[in-house]
Amino acid sequence: MGYNIALNFEDGVTRFIACDQSETVADASYRLGINIPLDCRDGACGTCKCRVESGEYDGGSYIEEALTDEEAAEGLALACQMRPKSDLVVGVFASSEVCKTKGQSFRATIGSVDRLSETSIAFSLEGAGPISFLPGQYVNVLVPGTEARRSYSFSSPPGAGTQSFLVRDIPHGLMSSFLREAVPGTPIEFVGPSGSFYLRDARRPLLFLAGGTGLAPFLSMLGKLAAEGSAHPVHMVYGVTNDADLVGVEQLEAYAARIPDFTFATVVAAESSAHPRKGYVTAHIAPEALHGGDVDIYLCGPPPMVDAVRNWLSGQGITPANFYYEKFSPSGAVNAIGESHRAAA
Ligand code: FES
């Protein structure tokens, strides 16, 4: 039986490979020309050590010098020994370049462009077929007519026939300017998927914190949760600066109807807003949503929001079990380096 293995490299590039249950992850990688670090191939040296972010596997046989019991308990494994028992997400401790691979290139066309508000535009791409990615990841889009690339998180779930994205409309922004005039059918190229900000297996309650168009990766994650279900409660606080920035609420309501135990609250920072919840997201995170720290927090928003939430959590005396975050630039694009971190707050 074959499984789908996502190899997530240190630089955020992700390649998906097929791996039979009788095959090691290392053998499947090399069969497809992806040279993950290897030496002894025998479970003795530890060179192929990797981190299994999700999925079930048989760790194989090896000696303690290659992988300690503590490391195995933390989810580390040896690629030359491990065989999948389900789809896996595997973090490789090397860059894609070192492993002689790179992100996949896709050609598509503009499917639709929808102005959601005076500050936000959604667009979709067609023709690339269903694309494998981890919900929360992004692609690097070549802005048509330029040499510039912009990084955008998928707002659609993995495997959808068309891919959708959410963009902040910047007056002189290259992508914004293109989208304002774009017509369906216009060719567009992109490379990906990339990023370490993706939804892991839920082992405890989840708290999603979205800032502005940082909503996009969460829509993708919610799409996956709607399709597969969630055994744990999921709460989202979605903050924006002005009323016009508040988009995608109907999608959130639709997901709340489909996902049991998914709740969300919207927040607007502007003083002038008549929104019922005003200020910053930290003022609207109920203590129950933190579960005393037994919570995985995912945050996607501008850099000041990431810093504010980290400071606020430490002020509350809360250290979440996991804190994954991604910063994006004011244009709404993911930072060029796709900054994503797993860190204690
Ligand atoms: Fe030596 Fe895997 S390559 S333990």
Side-chain angles (χ1 to χ4, degrees):
M1 183 168 180
Y3 294 109
N4 215 12
I5 315 294
L7 297 174
N8 187 236
F9 300 95
E10 271 186 348
D11 52 352
V13 168
T14 298
R15 291 302 308 265
F16 285 79
I17 62 170
C19 183
D20 192 80
Q21 62 182 358
S22 62
E23 191 177 29
T24 67
V25 168
D27 284 345
S29 303
Y30 276 74
R31 177 168 52 74
L32 295 162
I34 301 174
N35 299 2
I36 61 175
L38 274 190
D39 191 355
C40 72
R41 287 178 174 257
D42 203 25
C45 70
T47 304
C48 64
K49 202 175 289 177
C50 54
R51 176 178 294 282
V52 184
E53 297 283 1
S54 70
E56 306 294 323
Y57 59 98
D58 175 347
S61 57
Y62 48 84
I63 62 172
E64 176 85 7
E65 282 75 13
L67 188 73
T68 66
D69 290 345
E70 292 76 33
E71 289 175 321
E74 283 173 18
L76 296 179
L78 299 174
C80 74
Q81 298 298 304
M82 63 183 292
R83 291 175 168 80
K85 292 163 77 174
S86 74
D87 290 348
L88 297 176
V89 178
V90 176
V92 179
F93 298 133
S95 69
S96 58
E97 189 178 1
V98 164
C99 298
K100 302 205 169 11
T101 188
K102 58 185 178 182
Q104 208 179 333
S105 296
F106 297 92
R107 287 175 188 274
T109 56
I110 292 287
S112 63
V113 179
D114 296 311
R115 173 161 291 286
L116 303 181
S117 76
E118 64 195 64
T119 61
S120 306
I121 301 172
F123 71 96
S124 69
L125 301 180
E126 297 178 345
I131 294 176
S132 294
F133 63 90
L134 303 171
Q137 290 194 303
Y138 64 87
V139 289
N140 292 307
V141 176
L142 179 63
V143 183
T146 77
E147 297 294 311
R149 293 184 184 277
R150 294 289 183 270
S151 305
Y152 296 108
S153 302
F154 294 96
S155 57
S156 49
T162 62
Q163 295 76 43
S164 56
F165 305 87
L166 195 54
V167 177
R168 183 168 175 81
D169 188 2
I170 303 291
H172 301 291
L174 278 182
M175 192 65 179
S176 304
S177 302
F178 163 72
L179 287 173
R180 272 182 238 119
E181 309 292 331
V183 292
T186 305
I188 192 163
E189 296 174 27
F190 61 96
V191 175
S194 287
S196 305
F197 183 73
Y198 54 81
L199 184 65
R200 273 70 172 178
D201 284 348
R203 298 196 167 91
R204 56 184 64 79
L206 304 177
L207 175 61
F208 291 170
L209 302 175
T213 51
L215 176 68
F218 293 110
L219 293 174
S220 182
M221 293 180 188
L222 289 166
K224 177 168 181 176
L225 291 173
E228 299 182 3
S230 172
H232 301 280
V234 184
H235 183 62
M236 168 184 275
V237 184
Y238 165 34
V240 298
T241 304
N242 296 299
D243 291 328
D245 306 327
L246 198 58
V247 298
V249 177
E250 281 142 27
Q251 277 176 279
L252 292 176
E253 285 168 348
Y255 280 132
R258 288 175 62 194
I259 306 171
D261 235 355
F262 168 60
T263 53
F264 72 95
T266 52
V267 183
V268 178
E271 280 291 315
S272 56
S273 171
H275 197 76
R277 286 168 299 280
K278 288 176 48 174
Y280 294 112
V281 295
T282 47
H284 299 277
I285 302 173
E288 311 86 82
L290 296 172
H291 300 272
D294 185 29
V295 62
D296 286 347
I297 298 180
Y298 291 77
L299 190 168
C300 184
M305 178 177 172
V306 175
D307 296 338
V309 169
R310 295 190 71 169
N311 291 337
W312 180 82
L313 284 169
S314 89
Q316 301 292 307
I318 293 287
T319 303
N322 288 292
F323 182 36
Y324 305 102
Y325 62 89
E326 181 152 75
K327 298 175 179 177
F328 64 76
S329 69
S331 67
V334 179
N335 275 356
I337 56 168
E339 189 174 357
S340 304
H341 298 275
R342 171 185 179 162

